[in-house]
Each structure stands twice: as C-alpha cells, then as structure tokens.
Amino acid sequence: MDNLHKQFMSSLNEKLTDNPEIADEIDISELISEVTPDAVRLIKASLLESSTEMLKERRELSEGFVQRNNERWAKGFDSLETLIVTCTEAGEDVNNSYRNEAVTEQNLVFDLVVRLHARACQISQEILCLMKSGFADAAHARWRALHEVNVTAMFIAKHGQECAERFYFHDVVDSYDGMREHKKYEDRLNEKAPEQKDIDECKVEYERLIQHYGKKFSGHYGWAAYLFPDHNRVGFGAIEKDVQLEHMRPYYKWASQNIHSGSKGTRNRLGLNEATEDILLVGQSNSGMTDPAHATAISLGQITCTILMLHPTIDHIVLMNIISDFQDQVGEDFLTIAKMNS
C-alpha cells in the first residue's frame, strides 16, 4: 500500500541528486497536494473498472459459503426458525384477540408489551439471518438488544399502568436530548438540526414532565426511577435484577464485547472458536453459532410468555409449555452440531 509513496520519494531523490541546489526551495507539502488528485483519479478509475468482476467473484464465494454454513447448522437453524414463527404467531394472535379491549380500557401496558414483543420477534429474525450468513459475533451483539427488550417488557408487565405511562412519555426526554445533541454538532455533521422553535417546544413538554415526575425522570432509565428511591441513578442492571434476570449479566457483558471496542472483544471472537491459529476475522465464519442461538431462544421465549400471561388462558399455558420445549430443543440441536465439529 506504499507503492505511490515509494515512487514519489524515488522521483524526488533523483531530482535532488541532479539538482542539489534546489533542495531548500522544494515544498514537499505542495508537491504532494499536486500529485494526489491525479493519483486518486487514476486509482479510483482502475478500481471502478475492475469492480464488476471483483464483486461477482466475491458474491459467488459468499453464496457458496452461506450454502455450506446452512447445511452444517441446518437442524439448529430450523429449530430456531420454528420457535421464532411460533412466537410471532402467538403475539399476532394476542394482539388481534385483545387489542380492541385494551383500547377501550386505555391499557397502555398491553400496547407497550405487544410492541416490545413485535420488536423482539424482528430482532430474533435479524439474529437468525446473521447466523445463516456467518456472522455469529454480530448475532451475539443483537441478542444483547433482544435481552434488553425482554427485560423491559417483563418490567412494565410487572409494574403496571403507571410504569407503562412513564415509559411512554419518556420518549419526550429521549427526543429532547437527541435534538440538543444534534444542534450542538450540526455544523460538523453538515446536517441541519431541528429548528430552534421545535427544540423549544419540545423543551416545554420536557420540563412539564420533569416537574410532574421528578428530576430523576431525565435519566436514561428515568421512567423506572420512581421504583428505586434509594438509587441516585437507575441503570439497566437494576431493572434486570427486579425481574430476576440478573443471572444473565455474565452473558450480557459477554455480548457487550461484540459492541464495544475493548481489548477482550478485539482478541476473542465467536467466529474464531474453532481456529487453531491467530486469524484476523474480517468476514464470514461457520463457527460460534450455539451461544447466540440458544440465548435468542431463551429471551424470545421469555418475552412471548410475558405477552401470553397478559391474558392467561389454558390455551396460553399450553402454548407456553410448547415454547419452553422448543427453546430447549434449540439449545440441544446447536450444541450437538457444535460437538460434532469440535
């Protein structure tokens, strides 16, 4: 990647060797600025000329990998997809059966838990898609989001209408914070922020909510702060513990390594768990599917049971037991495949 640099330095040295008296007159920065546009134009043109063939080759390789990856993990992928479809259809049935009643009763808990469940189903499909494409670490990162959605739904379902109301109106806090941040950096972003009058209008609503719910409402999890009066600042960990899912914290932190740029996540990749050498993983891998798959099954099963228990019936109880069985099957299928290939 330093061919141009070497050619430039060679030409410069030749010029100085032939004309040593001009050494003090040469402006290196100016020379580079003169050469760079031509180099950019020529190399860019070359890359564009070869891009069609290059992309065709890469796509053929990727498609071949995806086919082999799906063959390797077929039973596990099928088990997880069966669970996802079952949970999605369960959520659809609950929404269709009880939506009108919830609207009449202004049941905000129902509305929010159903919406969170829909989001969980979508995230689960994203995870399945990522794993089928060979991106176990990305799937693991998306599971972290699924876990947060699950915990939030369980928390709202547990604490009822007031909690749901606070969560609903916290959208104003998030909007106001986002508007101010955008306004602060609109010049550097070269992207116009909302008009000041819109920010001021949002600020009025923001201040009204803070006055109504208290200063702690302005925090990231301020909508839940009233349930933790001894906490100076409520975080996700407190909500997680309240719904008795704090035992998932080690897995949550593990998944966080695939989001943040820490040392551990840089050197330890799910996609390399079968590697025997130090490899820099820049693309697809057929390794590491078991943990994100099973974690997804668990979290999706939990949030689906939460939505079913909003209206507990014998049908829902039966379905919850089926989901539990499917959830276990996902773990068993992926673990069996992983052991076969270890």
Side-chain angles (χ1 to χ4, degrees):
M1 291 296 290
D2 60 352
N3 290 337
L4 289 174
H5 182 80
K6 287 178 178 178
Q7 290 177 18
F8 176 81
M9 294 305 297
S10 176
S11 298
L12 182 62
N13 286 332
E14 288 178 9
K15 190 172 185 178
L16 290 175
T17 299
D18 295 338
N19 303 281
E21 70 279 0
I22 66 171
D24 292 337
E25 301 174 7
I26 294 179
D27 187 333
I28 300 296
S29 298
E30 185 177 345
L31 286 175
I32 293 174
S33 66
E34 291 173 356
V35 170
T36 299
D38 289 336
V40 169
R41 178 176 53 79
L42 291 170
I43 294 173
K44 180 181 177 182
S46 176
L47 289 171
L48 288 174
E49 185 179 355
S50 62
S51 64
T52 300
E53 187 63 30
M54 178 268 291
L55 291 174
K56 179 183 177 183
E57 181 180 347
R58 287 180 63 88
R59 287 165 184 167
E60 288 176 351
L61 290 171
S62 178
E63 288 169 4
F65 167 84
V66 169
Q67 182 177 344
R68 294 190 301 275
N69 187 50
N70 278 265
E71 289 171 357
R72 185 188 205 199
W73 296 97
K75 189 174 182 181
F77 288 155
D78 287 349
S79 294
L80 180 56
E81 189 167 3
T82 299
L83 174 63
I84 292 172
V85 172
T86 300
C87 291
T88 302
E89 291 181 351
E92 181 182 14
D93 182 68
V94 168
N95 186 49
N96 290 339
S97 298
Y98 303 106
R99 169 63 64 179
N100 290 338
E101 177 185 328
V103 170
T104 301
E105 296 177 354
Q106 296 186 324
N107 187 342
L108 198 53
V109 172
F110 178 89
D111 180 67
L112 293 176
V113 173
V114 166
R115 291 179 186 278
L116 288 166
H117 181 262
R119 188 176 178 187
C121 292
Q122 183 184 42
I123 294 172
S124 298
Q125 292 190 63
E126 292 170 4
I127 292 169
L128 179 62
C129 183
L130 286 165
M131 290 193 298
K132 285 184 173 182
S133 297
F135 297 104
D137 293 281
H140 203 204
R142 288 304 288 150
W143 169 76
R144 186 186 117 142
L146 176 60
H147 176 64
E148 290 182 352
V149 170
N150 175 38
V151 167
T152 302
M154 292 176 68
F155 188 85
I156 292 172
K158 175 182 176 180
H159 292 288
Q161 190 74 0
E162 181 177 358
C163 182
E165 179 185 284
R166 288 170 179 260
F167 180 86
Y168 180 84
F169 286 115
H170 202 265
D171 174 75
V172 175
V173 174
D174 295 335
S175 296
Y176 181 58
D177 289 344
M179 283 178 165
R180 288 191 303 164
E181 198 77 359
H182 193 171
K183 193 68 175 178
K184 182 178 179 180
Y185 295 109
E186 68 175 337
D187 292 336
R188 289 171 64 181
L189 289 170
N190 196 29
E191 181 67 34
K192 188 172 177 58
E195 297 292 338
Q196 188 60 49
K197 66 179 181 61
D198 295 325
I199 299 175
D200 292 341
E201 288 175 4
C202 188
K203 182 181 180 181
V204 171
E205 184 64 13
Y206 168 87
E207 291 178 342
R208 185 189 70 78
L209 289 169
I210 298 302
Q211 184 176 10
H212 181 69
Y213 290 122
K215 186 177 180 181
K216 289 184 178 180
F217 191 71
S218 64
H220 187 58
Y221 284 95
W223 55 272
Y226 77 107
L227 293 165
F228 303 96
D230 296 331
H231 289 56
N232 291 326
R233 184 178 180 182
V234 175
F236 178 69
I239 297 172
E240 190 180 49
K241 185 176 181 179
D242 184 80
V243 296
Q244 299 182 338
L245 286 181
E246 72 273 22
H247 61 285
M248 297 299 289
R249 177 115 310 233
Y251 290 94
Y252 181 80
K253 287 188 174 181
W254 182 19
S256 298
Q257 293 169 12
N258 284 315
I259 294 175
H260 304 304
S261 59
S263 175
K264 187 77 172 176
T266 301
R267 298 181 60 85
N268 294 270
R269 315 294 294 155
L270 283 171
L272 293 175
N273 71 357
E274 295 178 64
T276 57
E277 301 176 12
D278 186 10
I279 298 173
L280 297 175
L281 183 61
V282 299
Q284 296 158 296
S285 167
N286 63 359
S287 298
M289 307 297 171
T290 304
D291 285 290
H294 195 202
T296 297
I298 292 170
S299 295
L300 181 59
Q302 288 172 340
I303 192 172
T304 303
C305 288
T306 298
I307 194 176
L308 290 171
M309 286 304 292
L310 292 177
H311 288 273
T313 65
I314 294 176
D315 301 73
H316 288 177
I317 292 170
V318 169
L319 184 53
M320 287 166 62
N321 280 276
I322 293 171
I323 288 170
S324 179
D325 289 345
F326 282 169
Q327 178 181 303
D328 292 341
Q329 190 64 50
V330 170
E332 292 171 10
D333 287 344
F334 275 92
L335 187 59
T336 299
I337 298 168
K339 287 180 177 179
M340 285 172 54
N341 292 282
S342 61

